[in-house]
Amino acid sequence: MPPDFAPFSIALHHFFGSKQPVFSGKMNFLNKIISVFNTHAEAPAFCIQNKFYTYSDLGLVVASIQSKIKENCPGEQNLGIVIKDDLETYASILAIFLSGKTYIPIHPAYPVERASQIIEQAGIKYLLSKTENNTYPNVTVIATGKTPLDETGSISLAAFPLDETNAYILFTSGSTGVPKGVPITCHNLDSFVNAFDALGYKTDHNDRFLQMFELTFDLSVMSYLIPLCTGACVYTVPDTGMKFTNIYNVLETRKITFALMVPSVLANLRPYFEEIDLPDMRYSLFCGEALYKDVLQEWMRCVPNAVVENVYGPTEATIFCLTYKIGGNITDYNGIVSIGAPMQDMDAIVVDEAYKQLPDGEKGELCLYGNQLTPGYLNAEKTREAFFEQNGKRYYRTGDIAFRNEEGNFIYCGRIDHQVKIQGFRIELSEIEFHLRAITGSSNVVALAVNSPNGLMQISVVFEGGDRDTTDILEILKTKVPPYMIPAQVHFVIAFPLNTSGKTDRKALQKMIA
Ligand code: AMP
């Protein structure tokens, strides 16, 4: 146990009374968490901003927030949470789950206009927030910060079947300028937890999990939920200062044993690999964007005792659903590590433009099927575009180009469209273009993802028609999109290069600005 951890114990009948709630359905993840509250009350659940909280501490805050929900908005299904790196935020998530409701994370650093679109689409009337301050129109704030640590509080589990209830709704970049809502049901989440268990990782309450993700990104859900299901401790990454330095500090000083990270972390840490030695790391997973073999091999020397895996999945298929365990021979394509094979109760196929399944070795669009698949977007039109039915199965079109090799492993080869990943964040370049066109009243602008000198991808925008001052334009853009979508570079060209069909040749443009 870390030296600065002071256990705080509380009798568990305060939470559950003498009768413990038992859920009779398949809701394993909630039952698991409830059982952990009982069995690991004095163990550390979270280390946030260098402060430890036990499962008892967490349980008291959950109980109090749950009673606030009951008091203020018993009939509301969708509740927003103004996310911060604090205990109240995680306790709000658990209180919402246990109440059979749905959480929608609202990032305080995102423009109010964007948050308002999310609030409106999800029909949110109440926001859980640490403070009473409210920056958003048409919502009532329930302050969670003044939560009294009342030892008589009790946690209760919703009595109705939760399978089809949405556990959370996350919003991803939408090409038409409006964020796309992806609901994930309790059944989806439960299927993920079961499939994760089936991977056979030997994790338990002694493990220390890294949680490096914004709660608006679904990899965060694995990073807090899996440890809470086993009584392990979640170590969040302080959000002040340099993110990547903070990640490394947490990995080293907290002797993290399980870390799910985006590959961009490696690009940032690469200059320091020689000095990095993390013998306590037992599982080092990567997800969210292409993982390159050369940097991975160097990283493996930093984590000599770890099982290393490349895992893959879109938000629409709950966190991740394919895994590739790194062994002696690493399968890759153009240096990109294979994304492996589907997890339990998930399936993947590669199809051509007519949705005909392609044989092994042929490249096409990767489509997913199975228990982790969202029932569909909040916007039915988007659902019709991205899902199709075949032989009684419902498939999600990922937009990823892939093929399956003879060993049954899938190989990621790139994107069909203009979706990119910048430090793990999913961005539709056309969304940036949409806003810039609306701001400038002109269509002469293209957004591209370009490689920066340190190997990290960055957003560049290119304006046609020669140099001009774009300060005001970028200032307005900041009020429309999250900070990670703001271009790092602005270029000007006299005229866009055109391809044979007369459209802007994005590849040629990329070369022009390189
Ligand atoms: P998100 O919904 O933000 O999780 O983004 C999903 C997209 O990220 C996928 O459709 C892929 O384009 C990309 N992605 C996720 N994991 C991987 C991986 N291991 N390798 C390559 N691309 C990945």
Side-chain angles (χ1 to χ4, degrees):
M1 189 177 288
D4 50 346
F5 170 66
F8 168 66
S9 95
I10 174 168
L12 272 151
H13 61 263
H14 288 311
F15 294 151
F16 301 119
S18 54
K19 263 178 123 192
Q20 312 228 335
V22 176
F23 195 84
S24 55
K26 293 174 288 174
M27 296 310 305
N28 292 333
F29 81 91
L30 285 180
N31 269 333
K32 280 180 182 172
I33 293 175
I34 284 175
S35 122
V36 162
F37 274 124
N38 283 300
T39 52
H40 294 81
E42 292 171 27
F46 278 99
C47 175
I48 303 175
Q49 308 276 355
N50 291 320
K51 196 166 176 236
F52 282 88
Y53 301 93
T54 61
Y55 278 92
S56 286
D57 297 338
L58 174 66
L60 288 172
V61 184
V62 172
S64 171
I65 295 177
Q66 211 185 8
S67 75
K68 286 186 180 185
I69 293 172
K70 222 184 214 167
E71 204 179 296
N72 290 283
C73 49
E76 289 302 315
Q77 181 58 39
N78 291 349
L79 300 177
I81 304 177
V82 181
I83 51 161
K84 297 250 171 67
D85 184 32
D86 57 28
L87 188 68
E88 287 79 3
T89 295
Y90 290 96
S92 297
I93 292 175
L94 292 185
I96 288 174
F97 280 161
L98 290 159
S99 308
K101 298 186 185 294
T102 308
Y103 83 86
I104 296 99
I106 305 289
H107 201 304
Y110 291 4
V112 172
E113 187 178 315
R114 191 180 184 84
S116 303
Q117 286 173 332
I118 291 172
I119 288 169
E120 200 187 317
Q121 276 196 65
I124 297 170
K125 297 202 186 80
Y126 289 88
L127 277 182
L128 305 188
S129 174
K130 185 160 180 172
T131 63
E132 278 161 0
N133 298 346
N134 183 12
T135 14
Y136 307 103
N138 308 323
V139 282
T140 304
V141 164
I142 301 175
T144 54
K146 288 197 187 133
T147 307
L149 287 184
D150 172 4
E151 296 194 8
T152 59
S154 69
I155 294 175
S156 56
L157 177 59
F160 50 90
L162 295 176
D163 269 19
E164 300 315 319
T165 303
N166 291 329
Y168 57 82
I169 304 174
L170 295 185
F171 282 79
T172 71
S173 173
S175 52
T176 50
V178 181
K180 231 169 18 179
V182 188
I184 293 299
T185 64
C186 289
H187 169 65
N188 294 147
L189 199 47
D190 212 30
S191 303
F192 170 78
V193 173
N194 290 339
F196 182 93
D197 284 351
L199 293 173
Y201 298 147
K202 296 197 169 35
T203 55
D204 61 25
H205 63 279
N206 293 312
D207 275 295
R208 296 176 290 276
F209 280 69
L210 180 77
Q211 201 310 70
M212 62 155 280
F213 301 104
E214 308 271 16
L215 289 161
T216 43
F217 189 7
D218 76 341
L219 296 182
S220 67
V221 181
M222 192 237 83
S223 304
Y224 70 75
L225 191 66
I226 296 295
L228 295 184
C229 284
T230 53
C233 186
V234 184
Y235 290 76
T236 70
V237 175
D239 48 11
T240 45
M242 288 286 291
K243 171 113 185 174
F244 294 101
T245 314
N246 291 345
I247 291 174
Y248 174 66
N249 285 339
V250 174
L251 289 176
E252 197 194 29
T253 58
R254 299 301 181 186
K255 300 188 186 316
I256 294 297
T257 61
F258 192 115
L260 171 66
M261 300 190 283
V262 283
S264 304
V265 173
L266 295 186
N268 278 281
L269 296 183
R270 199 174 194 174
Y272 313 101
F273 277 1
E274 282 293 314
E275 299 133 56
I276 298 178
D277 182 27
L278 302 168
D280 296 285
M281 183 86 82
R282 302 197 307 121
Y283 295 96
S284 172
L285 274 61
F286 292 95
C287 189
E289 56 194 347
L291 175 64
Y292 285 88
K293 184 173 166 177
D294 54 350
V295 66
L296 178 72
Q297 283 172 320
E298 289 175 33
W299 169 251
M300 285 166 78
R301 290 197 282 274
C302 305
V303 289
N305 303 316
V307 169
V308 181
E309 298 214 12
N310 184 27
V311 299
Y312 160 94
T315 307
E316 289 83 344
T318 315
I319 312 175
F320 57 78
C321 56
L322 272 82
T323 61
Y324 179 75
K325 190 176 271 180
I326 309 296
N329 275 334
I330 304 176
T331 303
D332 71 304
Y333 175 83
N334 287 343
I336 300 176
V337 177
S338 164
I339 53 175
M343 285 159 61
Q344 174 180 287
D345 294 330
M346 285 299 291
D347 204 359
I349 57 171
V350 174
V351 300
D352 66 11
E353 281 166 6
Y355 305 151
K356 191 169 130 301
Q357 189 170 348
L358 294 170
D360 283 357
E362 274 191 44
K363 275 194 229 164
E365 183 171 8
L366 181 65
C367 298
L368 302 171
Y369 156 80
N371 285 351
Q372 290 176 222
L373 224 57
T374 170
Y377 297 110
L378 290 188
N379 178 333
E381 182 63 36
K382 298 270 174 219
T383 307
R384 276 190 290 278
E385 287 166 15
F387 291 81
F388 67 95
E389 291 228 2
Q390 209 168 73
N391 304 327
K393 292 178 173 173
R394 191 171 143 272
Y395 288 94
Y396 168 63
R397 300 173 50 200
T398 62
D400 290 320
I401 304 168
F403 67 90
R404 203 176 88 129
N405 70 9
E406 55 284 5
E407 280 116 44
N409 284 319
F410 286 83
I411 318 290
Y412 171 85
C413 311
R415 288 289 301 176
I416 286 171
D417 52 17
H418 301 310
Q419 181 182 297
V420 296
K421 282 298 191 105
I422 303 290
Q423 312 215 352
F425 291 108
R426 173 167 155 179
I427 299 171
E428 295 285 351
L429 290 172
S430 36
E431 180 173 3
I432 300 173
E433 290 169 2
F434 169 89
H435 288 294
L436 288 173
R437 284 176 185 158
I439 296 165
T440 58
S442 143
S443 60
N444 300 348
V445 57
V446 166
L448 299 169
V450 294
N451 238 325
S452 68
N454 61 0
L456 286 168
M457 294 294 264
Q458 287 185 337
I459 301 281
S460 277
V461 289
V462 193
F463 290 92
E464 190 181 39
D467 284 19
R468 78 187 93 148
D469 184 0
T470 53
T471 320
D472 290 351
I473 297 172
L474 294 181
E475 281 308 310
I476 302 174
L477 187 65
K478 283 182 193 160
T479 67
K480 309 277 176 194
V481 298
Y484 62 83
M485 285 174 79
I486 301 297
Q489 304 170 8
V490 179
H491 297 269
F492 305 92
V493 295
I494 299 299
F496 287 152
L498 301 180
N499 61 22
T500 45
S501 37
K503 291 184 184 167
T504 303
D505 187 336
R506 302 173 79 97
K507 278 198 181 135
L509 187 58
Q510 192 126 12
K511 281 193 191 136
M512 272 172 82
I513 61 162

